[in-house]
């Protein structure tokens, strides 16, 4: 089955979830943080799309204002994808709903984004640092991070 | 307190021969049964992604060799594919054939090594591993004569490969590939119906299909659970649509199926290689646009935008997410490492199993810490 176009997805989601605001940027859908969990659930559960596979979850830092969390979804059932979702969060206090209850694949990847970017995923079962050690201060993938041994 | 109610927490690793690197498992035991298991890693973390955001696109290639250091060629391939997608770089026909040959040889290297290591984990110290390593070594010799290095190949480039293979290389490769099935037969004769292996691996570390899909498990592990999802077929990237091969799947999703799917995949890779080596097209090994990029990496400034490129690496889906802001360095560079995400289900597979089984369940996931920790 051919992959659904982002236009089709946008129209469908807006019809299914009244009040959801989406905008479209090339092949990605921009989702508001408050709508993310609902949008993901519909994308996964609707038979026509059935995005059952969260392939990739990461973030991009755009100082001084925002951090964008990016999700790449595929359907193993229909063999289509990718669909990219982008959620823009305020850089001062980035927080968004966790998608781990929807796709287990997010468990470690959300921990990684939490560790390296400082994004809080609300509802994550075990949000801890994953690559850096527990006592580490700061988020090393942020663009303004200064490595401590710069002048060593 | 009654003794059977006492839980014991033990650390397996980070320095332990069974963990395939510096990896730690905090296991809670009731007797010998696992009731909780948390993986701890990051000991090898060097922030590969941050380094890559400070250097040119081409300069990241040697770093990708060190992600999954068993499969340098396919790591290079994954990054090249993402860069090609980001900047629209065409690939030369010969380059395309050569890198698919390298990617499939890498699959043979990886699967034979992981099968050997799995037996090591079961207590068959040394012998099966050395059988596997003997074959692997022949292929590494091929890599060395093409790229100059056995393991850190740094060979594939956007648009093709760095340099053409030397004279006589294709004939030598054909000879080694044609001899490979006899090794597999020998290996299988020793292992596939071996009673000890059946006892240790059947119904151990079962991963149900639904959980595998939900947890984003990919590669032989996913296929062993019965999902015929192979990116070579699904995305049809490079020249795979022109080649004929099957996607082996398992039924039970246990350690044995993971072992056997890898054996079958090696047989398919041999078929692929025979088709490829029968007719490698002539012409340049890299397209003119790719060549220009390799010669002057600092002038390569892809248009603004992002791209996600993925390949079927031997361990699963290896993806590269690149964001360009029009400069010579990527604005964002992310590696979607298959063995990192496959680890998500480690605890699920270990619960209710014995301590000794944890070692082979971990071995059957096939992790490399260079890639997990990045």
């Amino acid at each position: 089955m051919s992959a659904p176009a982002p236009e089709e997805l946008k129209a469908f989601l807006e019809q299914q979830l009244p009040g959801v605001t989406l905008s479209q940027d090339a092949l990605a859908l921009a989702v508001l943080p408050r709508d993310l969990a609902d949008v993901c659930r519909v994308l996964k559960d609707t038979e026509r799309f059935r995005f059952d596979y969260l392939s990739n979850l990461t973030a991009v830092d755009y100082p001084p204002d925002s951090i964008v969390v990016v999700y790449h979804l595929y359907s193993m059932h229909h063999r289509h994808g990718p669909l990219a979702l982008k959620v823009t969060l305020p850089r001062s206090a980035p927080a968004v709903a966790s998608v781990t209850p929807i796709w287990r694949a997010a468990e470690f990847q959300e921990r990684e984004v939490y560790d390296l970017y400082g994004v809080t995923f609300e509802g994550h079962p075990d949000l801890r640092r994953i690559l850096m050690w527990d006592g580490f201060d700061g988020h090393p993938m942020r663009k303004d991070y200064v490595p401590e041994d710069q002048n060593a | 307190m009654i003794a059977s109610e006492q839980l014991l927490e033990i650390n397996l690793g980070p320095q332990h021969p069974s963990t395939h690197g510096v990896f730690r498992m905090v296991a809670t035991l009731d007797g010998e049964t696992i009731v909780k298991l948390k993986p701890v890693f990051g000991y090898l973390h060097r922030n590969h992604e941050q380094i890559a955001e400070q250097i040119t696109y081409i300069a990241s290639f040697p770093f990708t060799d060190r992600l999954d250091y068993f499969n340098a060629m396919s790591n290079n391939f994954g990054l090249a594919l993402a860069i090609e997608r980001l900047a629209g770089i065409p690939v030369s026909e010969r380059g395309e054939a050569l890198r698919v040959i390298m990617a499939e040889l890498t699959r043979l290297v990886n699967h034979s090594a992981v099968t050997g290591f799995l037996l090591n984990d079961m207590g068959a110290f040394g012998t099966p591993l050395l059988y596997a390593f003997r074959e692997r070594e022949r292929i590494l010799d091929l890599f060395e004569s093409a790229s100059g290095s056995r393991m850190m190949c740094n060979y594939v480039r956007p648009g093709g490969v760095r340099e053409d293979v030397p004279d006589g290389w294709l004939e030598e490769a054909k000879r080694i590939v044609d001899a490979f099935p006899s090794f597999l037969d020998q290996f299988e004769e020793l292992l596939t119906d071996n009673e000890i292996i059946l006892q240790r691996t059947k119904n151990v570390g079962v991963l149900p299909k639904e959980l595998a899909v939900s947890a984003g498990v990919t590669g032989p592990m996913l296929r062993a659970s019965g999902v015929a999802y192979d990116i070579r077929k699904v995305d049809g990237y490079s020249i795979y649509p022109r080649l004929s091969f099957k996607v082996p799947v398992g039924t039970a999703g246990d350690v044995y199926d993971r072992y056997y799917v890898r054996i079958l995949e090696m047989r398919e890779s041999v078929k692929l290689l025979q088709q490829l080596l029968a007719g490698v097209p002539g012409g340049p090994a890299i397209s003119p646009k790719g060549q220009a990029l390799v010669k002057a990496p600092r002038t390569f400034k892809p248009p603004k935008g992002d791209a996600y490129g993925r390949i079927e690496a031997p361990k699963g889906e290896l993806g590269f997410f690149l964001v360009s802001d029009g400069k010579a360095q990527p604005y964002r560079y992310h590696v979607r490492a298959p063995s990192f995400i496959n680890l998500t289900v480690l605890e699920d597979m270990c619960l209710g199993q014995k301590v000794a089984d944890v070692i082979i369940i971990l071995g059957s996931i096939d992790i490399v810490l260079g890639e997990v920790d990045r």
Side-chain angles (χ1 to χ4, degrees), chain A residues 40-70:
Chain A
C40 286
R41 210 158 261 130
V42 169
L43 287 173
K44 189 189 175 191
D45 295 340
T46 308
E47 185 52 39
R48 163 78 183 87
F49 310 124
R50 205 156 162 185
F51 285 103
D52 51 6
Y53 169 38
L54 171 71
S55 158
N56 183 43
L57 189 165
T58 188
V60 189
D61 185 19
Y62 293 99
D65 301 321
S66 54
I67 286 181
V68 177
V69 182
V70 185

Side-chain angles (χ1 to χ4, degrees), chain B residues 259-274:
Chain B
Y259 152 77
Y260 202 57
V261 160
R262 289 194 178 103
I263 295 278
L264 294 175
E265 276 188 17
M266 282 194 268
R267 294 199 185 273
E268 292 302 317
S269 286
V270 167
K271 274 193 229 161
L272 275 169
L273 282 163
Q274 282 166 337

